[in-house]
């Protein structure tokens, strides 16, 4: 992991004291605040049901499909409020979420899946083709399999498709939900090395992950959620050394 970002790095994404309620009744997030700096990697950690995915969906405005509402607090991107924007508007602004479980379009080829990520762009076919080649640089295996359908690719390759499709939208920040889920340990390591490489090229990344040790190994900073509230917030290095963190989330006594 590279040295932590300078404290002066500008804040790109800011979540400020948000509360989220489902079905007008169920309070899931209870005053969550966190920040993603330009060019940084931050990790959101916690057990199942802690509210990690809800936090991501609050930012990408995918709550609407699940009858969830932000009832308090604000979310800002580049210093401007983004609440109430549609998912399409947010993608155009530079925010995109890579959903857990990969979720490729099974009836499309690998390359067609990647190209769907550019549907909000208006900068022309040559720019899109150039970025497609850039994605293939990150994931050369996808270029080999570009004519295959995802059903005939491995879980690791499907995860590459999901990330590559998101990159085709030219985001400023990549929201990633459980990128290690369902992958073999060797593929998890490879996956996180690729995420780190994408970040090294200037992409800010906000990652939700149950594999706390792996996430913190590439992150600059981490937040820990417990029952919808932030209970720990520190540099990745400090969290890795925190006895409470190690006992609760890293499986150490």
């Amino acid at each position: 992991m590279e040295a932590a970002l300078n404290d002066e790095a500008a804040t790109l994404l800011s979540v400020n004291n948000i509360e989220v309620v489902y079905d007008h009744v169920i309070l899931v997030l209870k005053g969550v605040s966190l920040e993603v700096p330009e060019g940084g990697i931050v990790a959101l950690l916690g057990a199942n049901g802690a509210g990690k995915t809800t936090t991501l969906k609050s930012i990408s405005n995918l709550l609407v499909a699940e009858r969830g509402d932000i009832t308090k607090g604000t979310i800002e991107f580049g210093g401007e409020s983004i609440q109430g924007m549609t998912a399409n508007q947010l993608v155009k602004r530079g925010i995109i979420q890579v959903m857990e479980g990969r979720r490729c379009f099974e009836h499309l080829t690998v390359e067609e899946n990647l190209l769907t990520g550019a549907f909000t762009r208006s900068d022309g076919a040559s720019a899109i083709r150039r970025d497609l080649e850039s994605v293939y640089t990150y994931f050369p295996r996808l270029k080999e399999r570009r004519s295959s359908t995802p059903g005939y690719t491995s879980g690791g390759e499907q995860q590459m498709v999901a990330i590559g499709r998101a990159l085709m939208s030219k985001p400023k920040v990549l929201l990633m939900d459980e990128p290690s889920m369902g992958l073999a340990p060797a593929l998890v390591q490879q996956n996180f090395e690729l995420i780190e490489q994408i970040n090294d090229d200037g992409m800010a990344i906000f990652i939700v992950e149950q594999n706390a040790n792996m996430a913190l190994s590439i992150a600059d900073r981490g937040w820990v959620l417990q029952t919808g509230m932030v209970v720990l917030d520190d540099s990745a290095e400090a969290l890795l050394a925190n006895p409470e963190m190690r006992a609760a989330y890293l499986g150490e006594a």
Side-chain angles (χ1 to χ4, degrees), residues 24-99:
H24 306 290
V25 176
I26 306 168
L27 181 62
V28 177
L29 298 185
K30 310 163 187 176
V32 170
S33 296
L34 53 86
E35 295 180 348
V36 180
E38 291 183 357
I41 304 180
V42 301
L44 184 62
L45 311 170
N48 279 335
K52 304 186 302 296
T53 295
T54 294
T55 302
L56 279 191
K57 290 182 176 179
S58 298
I59 298 167
S60 59
N61 199 21
L62 297 178
L63 285 177
V64 178
E66 300 178 356
R67 301 181 66 181
D69 295 293
I70 299 173
T71 56
K72 180 181 177 182
T74 61
I75 300 176
E76 297 181 351
F77 183 66
E80 297 182 2
S81 174
I82 57 172
Q83 283 167 255
M85 291 186 181
T86 66
N88 283 356
Q89 289 172 326
L90 291 171
V91 170
K92 289 180 180 179
R93 283 290 186 102
I95 302 172
I96 194 163
Q97 181 173 337
V98 180
M99 306 285 284

Side-chain angles (χ1 to χ4, degrees), residues 96 98 163 166-167 171-176 198 203-206:
I96 194 163
V98 180
I163 296 172
L167 292 176
K172 296 176 183 176
V173 61
L174 200 59
L175 311 179
M176 308 192 74
I198 291 167
M203 179 78 64
I205 295 174
F206 179 23

Side-chain angles (χ1 to χ4, degrees), residues 8 19 39 45 48 68 78 82 91 94 101 103 109 122 128 133 139 148 162 170 174 192 195-196 199 212 228 236:
E8 299 301 317
E19 291 186 353
L45 311 170
N48 279 335
I82 57 172
V91 170
R103 304 191 189 187
T109 66
S122 57
I128 290 172
E133 290 303 318
F139 307 112
S148 302
K170 296 192 72 172
L174 200 59
F192 274 81
I195 292 169
E196 194 168 21
N199 172 253

